[in-house]
Amino acid sequence: MALSKLNSKTFHFSPQQKGVIASVIASCLFALLPLYVQFQPDWPETAVAGGAGHWLTGQRILWSAVIMLVGLTLVGRISTLWEQLKQWRLWPRSLLSACLIAPQFWLFIWAPLQGEILSVALGYFALPLVLVAVGYFVYGEQLTRTQVIACFIAACGVVYAYVIADGISWIVFVVALGYPLYFMNRRRHPMASDLVFTLDNLFLLPFALLAMLYLQPFSDWQKIEISSWVYYLGLGLTGTLPMLLFLYASQMLPLSLFGLLTYLEPTLVFCVGLLLGERVELIQWPIYGAIMLALVLIAIDSSKRRA
């Protein structure tokens, strides 16, 4: 009896705690994606600049759609997806959702191949502050004192980053402003995260296939080696699992707390950038020191709330 009580206490998590865990795991997995794309198979030269990034984005969408359809079939939820698709009047809503998330799918693969990992990280440093602002002003969410302090410290780091930056890349604005619009749209029309992600990929799939056919004629697809197709399948898996967890966390958590937790992702992406040879000068280290301190405060606050 005592062991049963202990187990129920140990393994019982509230929806918010589940959201925190999902967000942390998603951030860790997302940080592996820029590393994964560095091992892409050989890509033939094309007249399209950055063609490899466009091709890999198409493959990610293709295989994510396949993986989700198979997964929903295995767990018996494919009929739920079909019922959703039969409501054709809701297609514009689903298409809007897909269009809002599409730049993020593309950017997270294209940018690392262009040596822009740190620009992506800077965009993700700004994103949590935008999410916190949206949560406070749009949804009336409140922060704990520790979260306010963490937000202030992180904001100082972000402001410092923009002050010393040699111009702000457009990548920063796409990341920092694109995701909040997507999450706000999703909150207006709540739906299970697995269905959301599947619909996003299904509505993007025709565009992805057309783009890939433009980059490589279908006759060339038949010459692609099996090992390359295995790599593309792995790319789909690498992009699918963290996105599902990310969407789940966004539904379980207040937008402000969800935003603060997303600071973990750019910190890890930043570390991956260093592993891949990008360098950060001494003057830039206060940015990451402030972000890491903010993450520590959030972890302490979450631990106290759980206790």
Side-chain angles (χ1 to χ4, degrees), residues 201-245:
N201 282 281
L202 286 178
F203 275 86
L204 289 175
L205 185 57
F207 303 102
L209 290 174
L210 287 173
M212 287 193 295
L213 287 171
Y214 177 75
L215 291 168
Q216 273 196 298
F218 186 72
S219 57
D220 291 346
W221 292 24
Q222 302 172 33
K223 303 174 185 177
I224 298 175
E225 297 180 357
I226 297 296
S227 59
S228 296
W229 287 114
V230 172
Y231 173 88
Y232 298 142
L233 174 60
L235 179 64
L237 287 169
T238 307
T240 295
L241 183 55
M243 195 65 197
L244 285 174
L245 292 169

Side-chain angles (χ1 to χ4, degrees), residues 5 15 28 56 94 97 122 146 151 177 199 235-236 239-240 249 271:
K5 289 182 178 179
C28 294
L56 288 180
S94 297
S97 173
L122 188 57
T146 303
C151 190
L177 301 179
L199 289 172
L235 179 64
T240 295
C271 294

Side-chain angles (χ1 to χ4, degrees), residues 33-72:
L33 194 54
L35 186 61
Y36 188 90
V37 300
Q38 301 298 319
F39 299 97
Q40 61 169 317
D42 290 337
W43 169 258
E45 292 293 332
T46 66
V48 180
H54 309 324
W55 171 261
L56 288 180
T57 303
Q59 290 287 349
R60 174 187 177 178
I61 292 170
L62 168 62
W63 289 106
S64 291
V66 171
I67 291 167
M68 291 307 303
L69 289 174
V70 172
L72 289 176

Side-chain angles (χ1 to χ4, degrees), residues 18-19 25 39-40 47-48 50-51 74 81-82 111 159-160 187 226 234 251 260 265 273 287 292 302:
K18 291 178 182 178
I25 296 175
F39 299 97
Q40 61 169 317
V48 180
L74 291 176
L81 174 67
W82 178 242
V159 170
Y160 176 77
R187 291 200 171 203
I226 297 296
Q251 295 173 336
L260 288 171
E265 183 178 337
I287 305 169
M292 291 174 189
S302 297

Side-chain angles (χ1 to χ4, degrees), residues 120-137:
V120 173
L122 188 57
Y124 277 91
F125 282 142
L127 171 61
L129 295 178
V130 178
L131 289 174
V132 169
V134 170
Y136 182 81
F137 290 107

Side-chain angles (χ1 to χ4, degrees), residues 179-200:
Y179 264 123
L181 292 174
Y182 175 74
F183 290 128
M184 290 173 68
N185 180 64
R186 287 265 50 96
R187 291 200 171 203
R188 285 181 58 197
H189 311 291
M191 190 187 305
S193 56
D194 55 349
L195 296 181
V196 170
F197 185 65
T198 305
L199 289 172
D200 285 343

Side-chain angles (χ1 to χ4, degrees), residues 14-20 23 128 130-136 138-144 147 183 187 246-262 298 301-302 305:
S14 68
Q16 181 162 313
Q17 290 165 349
K18 291 178 182 178
V20 170
S23 177
V130 178
L131 289 174
V132 169
V134 170
Y136 182 81
V138 177
Y139 298 106
E141 298 171 357
Q142 300 299 316
L143 299 173
T144 67
Q147 289 172 347
F183 290 128
R187 291 200 171 203
F246 201 49
L247 289 172
Y248 175 79
S250 72
Q251 295 173 336
M252 292 295 103
L253 297 172
L255 201 59
S256 53
L257 176 57
F258 173 68
L260 288 171
L261 284 170
T262 57
I298 294 168
D301 181 68
S302 297
R305 290 162 66 84

Side-chain angles (χ1 to χ4, degrees), residues 283-302:
I283 193 175
Q284 295 176 306
W285 279 104
I287 305 169
Y288 304 102
I291 299 302
M292 291 174 189
L293 178 57
L295 285 171
V296 170
L297 290 176
I298 294 168
I300 292 172
D301 181 68
S302 297

